[in-house]
Amino acid sequence: MTLSIKSADQLKELPNESELNFGTLFSDHMFNMDYNPEKGWHNPRIEPYHAFSMDPSTMVLHYGQSIFEGLKAFKTPSGGVNLFRPRENFKRFNRSARKLCIPELDEGFALEGLVELLKLEKRWVPGVPGTSLYIRPTIIATDPFLGVRASYTYRFFIILSPVGAYYKEGFNPVKIWVTDKHVRAVRGGMGEVKTAGNYAASLYAGEEAHHNGYTQVLWLDGVELKYIEEVGSMNIFFVIDNELVTPSLSGSILSGITRDTVIRLAKKWDLPVTERRIAIDELVDHYEAGRLQEAFGSGTAAVISPVGEIKYKDKNMAVGDGSVGPLAKRFFDAITDIQYGRAEDPENWVLPLETA
Ligand code: COI
């Protein structure tokens, strides 16, 4: 398959890098590719960033058959551009595709398409500390049809957005709200899949959390409302009695790439790390006994996000002393140093654009 490239006639003005927030600005070009049963995935092309025109009956608008990924490109001290574990994103993209009855992509080709897009959009990778170019590969169902079935046709696109911190708190601790009324996903459902519906399902409880002064919701399992799952925009870690603990992948939790990176680093550093079921009541007991030392989230958008307060029913648990915990800081520094090319990368997690 040959990739065609059509450049924009006029380029946008670059934003002020010190004022970047998350997901509001988009670069000059995008990648597009289509699927139909006759041709399979075909017509890969880089084009000027543009709006889609869609029939109002387009299936994705009605039944939510869509999947996405999130990864980032980082500017290195020498002006190069690094991707972080991008193959893992495309592997997960295909796992999501299978669950949503979307035809799988050639992962290598999808990555090549992204690399070509990034080569064209290099000037959009910001260099101010804490900024990066967020990459959003997405597939949507495009049949104009109102019956409920898997679509026969699809659009795969990649858009790029220069970003700063995901939370307005930046690297300062966020406050999270444990909901005991709403659930995000159940076992056997879509919880582990990066699909639009999971995020739509999180909005109502998210509004409730915001209304009460909390940044995000910490979800409990959808069956018993007992076991801690994830935050929705990130996975969650606790430091309990000097042990790093995170909920095991139950099928309703997203298999985060940053989560995996934290676990691998912890093992390398000989820190005790356990993936297991953690009941919210157990967490409260640890808190009350003074054993809950730290809590932090991990995610591509959030990186490492310290948690300063957890609210569950009438319990307001202040974690640590309200500042960034030492382990959250250690993971944040180690991961970002590798991503930005400031540290050795013994695991070959980084894919420099120049060598891709
Ligand atoms: C990410 O971390 O990339 C995510 O996809 C989470 C969120 C922005 C939806």
Side-chain angles (χ1 to χ4, degrees), residues 76-97:
T76 69
S78 59
V81 173
N82 280 347
L83 286 166
F84 185 70
R85 307 187 72 186
R87 291 182 185 88
E88 298 303 316
N89 289 91
F90 285 109
K91 264 191 222 157
R92 188 172 63 186
F93 205 31
N94 265 344
R95 289 204 299 274
S96 298

Side-chain angles (χ1 to χ4, degrees), residues 186-203:
V186 290
R187 271 194 295 285
M190 289 285 158
E192 64 184 354
V193 182
K194 273 191 104 61
T195 185
N198 280 334
Y199 298 82
S202 76
L203 300 178

